Amino acid sequence: MKRHLNHVLKTHFNIKYFFLIASICLLSCKAQKPESSTVGEQIDGLTLIEHQNFTNIDSFETRVIRDMKTLGKFYRQINKTRKPGLPLPVVDFSKEMLILVCLGEQHGEKTTVLSKLKETDQEMLIAIEVHNVSKEEMSIQPIYFPFYLYKMPLVDKTVAFQKIEE
């Protein structure tokens, strides 16, 4: 009887500790999720297809790319300083267009979030939010020159951009 009672108590404490450890793990994982709060609304069909932190573009620049010739020109510029060069992404320009965001010189690693601020019959205004990847402050931060290439469904509107920094 005493042996059975000890077994029941050990099992009870083991289960209690298991649930305690599982709860701590689940709560700590939620705290590490990145913030994805956007200023505007989500853009349907927007996907990131290329991101590189080291380019030869040293100023902020945005472009809408609607043909293979413009895409090839951009990749030739990027590949001047890369060996081996980056391959051109496969895009069906009859159905899709690309949005290019070059951040220029950045101190520390950044990420971008695109959202739709306003849309009319003639124009779409896209917000470009720039966020720090690392929340901790470092005295010496590496310098990056990132670009982001997004694919989205083709729209017959003028696309304008507004940069929003945190």
Side-chain angles (χ1 to χ4, degrees), residues 39-106:
V39 174
E41 62 185 73
Q42 184 177 359
I43 301 171
D44 294 329
L46 182 73
T47 55
L48 179 67
I49 61 170
E50 182 80 54
H51 165 245
Q52 296 291 324
N53 275 327
F54 302 101
T55 66
N56 53 358
I57 300 172
D58 60 355
S59 60
F60 180 80
E61 180 181 333
T62 56
R63 281 190 229 169
V64 176
I65 299 175
R66 297 178 186 264
D67 57 52
M68 192 56 104
K69 182 179 177 184
T70 309
L71 180 62
K73 185 177 176 183
F74 170 72
Y75 268 80
R76 280 191 297 281
Q77 178 185 0
I78 293 295
N79 288 335
K80 284 180 186 177
T81 58
R82 298 179 81 91
K83 297 298 179 220
L86 297 173
L88 265 72
V90 178
V91 181
D92 181 3
F93 284 106
S94 65
K95 299 175 186 172
E96 301 165 328
M97 65 183 199
L98 300 176
I99 295 177
L100 173 66
V101 179
C102 301
L103 294 184
E105 183 177 324
Q106 297 294 316

Side-chain angles (χ1 to χ4, degrees), residues 60 62 102-106 117 126-130 161-165:
F60 180 80
T62 56
C102 301
L103 294 184
E105 183 177 324
Q106 297 294 316
L117 283 178
I126 296 177
I128 301 170
E129 295 177 72
V130 180
F161 300 97
Q162 180 177 343
K163 183 179 178 184
I164 300 170
E165 299 212 33

